[in-house]
């Protein structure tokens, strides 16, 4: 599923970008070829002005001079003295065939489209044009038809310039552009695949996290549900005197499921951005003392030494959700009671920082392994599953992290100075 989405998104991005690149490249190629044709024709016109001025200054036209003017095949020159063809040059049968076909097509095109009047003696009029040998399709030659006046008549001149060098240049340019476009498309495809992968990576991680979350939640709910069903089945068969203990089991497991569902709803609220805070100014030292008093009796019953440490100076009130911060402290204290052995010293402390306040819950128990510290705020993660009970599902620290995140604060864990673990809550002033 993820691969298909990744592939389609990469193809979409690469396709759109490649389409834009292709259109822009073709537009540039069209303009470039148009300018190239115009430049080539303009250069031909300039060459004709120079060449025809040489014709006008020649009283005697020799074969050698004509050969030099043709420039080794650069031009094809056909002369007609008072309508009589001027034969010259030694060419092969194939060369003459190509030359005669071009000259015939050139004269036919000129005679069907233009007509030049006879000029005064020793002056020349001329006209440039382009034509195709087949009469359709792209031009094969540039032509220049000229009439040069003489004392005893006129000299008609047809000068042809083959366009195969221009066509080769255009073809080479098209091949280069095609190679560049293909290279660009391949590069864009690879880049799109990489970038869309980066873009989808958090989504995929979130999806995998949700899959694990649902699987873990189902597992956690299935355990107490199985106990309830078993107790209910046993209760039906048990005598009335023994049913009370099964009712007790059902009630305890139901309460366990209720706590789990409550935790799941809290996390669901943070995921859907419906998690709300009721922020009011709160005396944090008072909150810490209230938490201490609420857990003092329970700590004594379980054999823990609970203490509280407050700064000597007055702490200004902090804007926060008092109930939520008390919930975080309760989660940390319950975890300490669950994961540290009796006789452990658990301390609550408050200190003022430059950006806010810091609340710390520390113990001198066995501590948390370094490899587990990076995962303890993940949902359903237990650093030591063997010491967990039905009241702990591995969601408490996740909820604590979400609450601190909603306050724009943070929660971190470090090794306590005397051994054990120290969880520090940092809350900003505003």
């Amino acid at each position: 599923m993820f691969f298909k989405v990744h592939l389609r998104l990469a193809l979409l991005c690469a396709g759109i970008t490649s389409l834009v690149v292709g259109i822009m490249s073709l537009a540039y190629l069209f303009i470039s070829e148009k300018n190239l044709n115009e430049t080539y024709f303009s250069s031909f016109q300039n060459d004709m002005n120079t060449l025809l001025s040489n014709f006008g200054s020649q009283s005697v036209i020799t074969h050698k001079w004509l050969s030099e003017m043709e420039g080794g095949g650069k031009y094809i020159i056909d002369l007609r003295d008072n309508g009589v063809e001027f034969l010259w040059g030694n060419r092969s049968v194939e060369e003459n065939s190509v030359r005669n076909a071009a000259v015939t097509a050139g004269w036919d095109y000129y005679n069907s489209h233009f007509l030049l009047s006879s000029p005064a003696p020793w002056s020349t009029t001329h006209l440039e044009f382009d034509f195709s040998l087949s009469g359709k399709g792209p031009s094969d030659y540039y032509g220049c038809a000229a009439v040069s006046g003489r004392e005893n008549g006129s000299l008609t001149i047809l000068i042809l310039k083959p366009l195969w060098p221009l066509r080769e240049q255009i073809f080479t340019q098209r091949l280069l552009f095609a190679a560049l476009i293909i290279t660009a498309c391949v590069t864009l495809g690879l880049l799109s695949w990489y970038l869309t992968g980066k873009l989808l990576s958090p989504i995929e991680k979130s999806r995998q996290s949700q899959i694990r979350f649902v699987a873990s939640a189902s597992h956690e709910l299935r355990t107490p549900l199985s106990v309830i069903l078993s107790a209910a089945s046993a209760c039906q068969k048990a005598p009335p005197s023994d049913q009370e203990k099964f009712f007790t089991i059902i009630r305890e497991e139901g309460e366990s499921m209720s706590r789990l569902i409550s935790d799941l709803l809290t996390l669901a609220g943070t995921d859907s951005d419906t998690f709300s805070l009721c922020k009011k100014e709160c005396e944090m030292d008072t909150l810490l003392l209230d938490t201490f008093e609420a857990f003092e009796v329970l700590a004594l019953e379980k054999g823990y030494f609970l203490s509280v440490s407050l700064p000597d100076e007055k702490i200004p009130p902090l804007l926060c959700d008092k109930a939520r911060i008390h919930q975080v402290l309760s989660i940390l204290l319950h975890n300490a009671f669950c994961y540290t052995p009796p006789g452990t010293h658990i301390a609550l402390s408050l200190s003022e920082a430059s950006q806010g306040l810091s609340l710390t819950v520390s113990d001198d128990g066995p501590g948390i392994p370094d490899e587990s510290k990076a995962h303890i705020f993940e949902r359903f993660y237990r650093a030591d599953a063997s010491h967990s009970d039905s009241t702990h599902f591995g969601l408490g620290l996740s909820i604590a992290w979400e609450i601190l995140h909603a306050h724009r604060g943070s929660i971190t864990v470090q090794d306590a100075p005397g051994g054990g673990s120290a969880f520090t809550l940092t809350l900003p002033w505003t």
Side-chain angles (χ1 to χ4, degrees):
M1 177 65 181
F2 176 75
F3 176 79
K4 290 182 178 179
V5 173
H6 186 188
L7 180 61
R8 290 176 182 177
L9 186 59
L11 289 176
L12 177 63
C13 295
I16 294 174
T17 311
S18 298
L19 181 63
V20 173
V21 171
I23 292 173
M24 294 180 65
S25 298
L26 291 176
Y28 178 82
L29 184 61
F30 173 78
I31 295 172
S32 175
E33 290 184 5
K34 182 180 178 182
N35 291 336
L36 190 60
N37 279 298
E38 291 176 353
T39 302
Y40 211 75
F41 188 71
S42 178
S43 175
F44 173 72
Q45 289 178 315
N46 294 332
D47 290 345
M48 292 303 98
N49 289 329
T50 302
L51 196 148
L52 290 174
S53 65
N54 289 335
F55 266 112
S57 63
Q58 296 290 326
S59 57
V60 178
I61 300 176
T62 64
H63 289 191
K64 180 181 179 181
W65 184 84
L66 284 173
S67 297
E68 292 175 352
M69 289 298 100
E70 279 200 340
K74 182 178 180 181
Y75 299 110
I76 297 175
I77 300 177
D78 184 73
L79 299 178
R80 307 213 172 189
D81 188 3
N82 293 320
V84 179
E85 184 178 357
F86 187 76
L87 300 175
W88 64 280
N90 296 319
R91 302 180 180 89
S92 66
V93 175
E94 184 179 353
E95 289 175 337
N96 269 327
S97 176
V98 173
R99 182 181 185 280
N100 291 338
V103 169
T104 301
W107 281 121
D108 289 344
Y109 186 84
Y110 165 73
N111 291 328
S112 62
H113 289 80
F114 313 108
L115 181 63
L116 292 176
S117 59
S118 299
W122 305 109
S123 63
T124 303
T125 58
H126 62 93
L127 178 70
E128 288 77 34
F129 56 92
D130 62 303
F131 69 96
S132 170
L133 289 175
S134 61
K136 56 184 178 180
S139 300
D140 298 310
Y141 291 89
Y142 286 153
C144 175
V147 178
S148 177
R150 302 293 179 176
E151 292 181 353
N152 56 351
S154 63
L155 182 67
T156 308
I157 308 166
L158 178 66
I159 305 173
L160 303 178
K161 181 179 179 65
L163 295 182
W164 60 263
L166 175 62
R167 299 293 166 247
E168 284 189 354
Q169 185 177 352
I170 290 176
F171 180 73
T172 302
Q173 183 174 268
R174 287 179 179 178
L175 286 180
L176 178 61
F177 266 79
L180 290 175
I181 291 174
I182 292 173
T183 303
C185 290
V186 172
T187 303
L188 287 171
L190 295 174
L191 190 61
S192 296
W193 178 263
Y194 174 76
L195 292 179
T196 51
K198 287 286 187 181
L199 178 67
L200 292 175
S201 179
I203 299 176
E204 174 62 9
K205 288 181 180 178
S206 176
R207 188 178 73 89
Q208 293 295 337
S209 177
Q210 288 182 357
I211 292 174
R212 290 192 299 269
F213 179 76
V214 171
S216 300
S218 301
H219 174 75
E220 295 292 347
L221 285 170
R222 183 176 58 187
T223 301
L225 183 60
S226 299
V227 174
I228 290 174
L229 293 175
S230 298
S233 178
C235 185
Q236 289 179 332
K237 302 175 183 178
S241 58
D242 294 335
Q243 289 180 351
E244 180 64 27
K245 66 177 181 181
F246 293 112
F247 288 138
T248 302
I249 293 173
I250 292 173
R251 184 184 69 254
E252 290 176 349
E253 294 300 325
E255 292 174 351
S256 176
M257 289 182 66
S258 177
R259 286 191 296 272
L260 175 58
I261 292 172
S262 177
D263 290 344
L264 291 175
L265 290 174
T266 300
L267 291 173
T270 61
D271 291 340
S272 61
D273 293 329
T274 59
F275 185 75
S276 60
L277 296 177
C278 182
K279 287 187 175 183
K280 295 180 180 179
E281 286 192 348
C282 173
E283 301 286 347
M284 298 305 294
D285 50 359
T286 303
L287 173 62
L288 208 63
L289 285 173
D290 291 342
T291 303
F292 169 76
E293 292 174 358
F295 281 86
E296 185 179 17
V297 175
L298 180 61
L300 290 174
E301 291 177 354
K302 290 180 173 290
Y304 295 98
F305 300 98
L306 185 63
S307 65
V308 62
S309 176
L310 300 176
D312 297 332
E313 63 277 5
K314 177 68 175 178
I315 298 295
L318 183 75
L319 189 65
C320 68
D321 188 325
K322 180 179 179 180
R324 291 296 186 182
I325 300 303
H326 177 75
Q327 182 182 1
V328 173
L329 294 173
S330 299
I331 290 171
L332 296 177
L333 288 172
H334 276 299
N335 280 355
F337 294 160
C338 179
Y339 291 103
T340 58
T344 299
H345 178 229
I346 301 171
L348 299 172
S349 62
L350 174 66
S351 62
E352 185 174 0
S354 58
Q355 301 297 326
L357 293 179
S358 293
L359 292 83
T360 303
V361 179
S362 61
D363 61 67
D364 56 4
I368 300 174
D370 291 337
E371 60 271 16
S372 298
K373 289 176 182 174
H375 304 284
I376 60 173
F377 296 106
E378 296 176 3
R379 300 175 184 184
F380 292 108
Y381 180 82
R382 294 187 180 98
D384 186 2
S386 63
H387 288 82
S388 62
D389 55 35
S390 61
T391 64
H392 289 81
F393 305 100
L395 295 178
L397 291 179
S398 299
I399 294 174
W401 189 92
E402 295 289 354
I403 292 173
L404 268 295
H405 180 71
H407 279 83
R408 293 186 298 127
S410 64
I411 178 172
T412 58
V413 60
Q414 294 177 333
D415 293 331
S421 303
F423 286 86
T424 301
L425 286 62
T426 303
L427 292 165
W429 288 115
T430 56

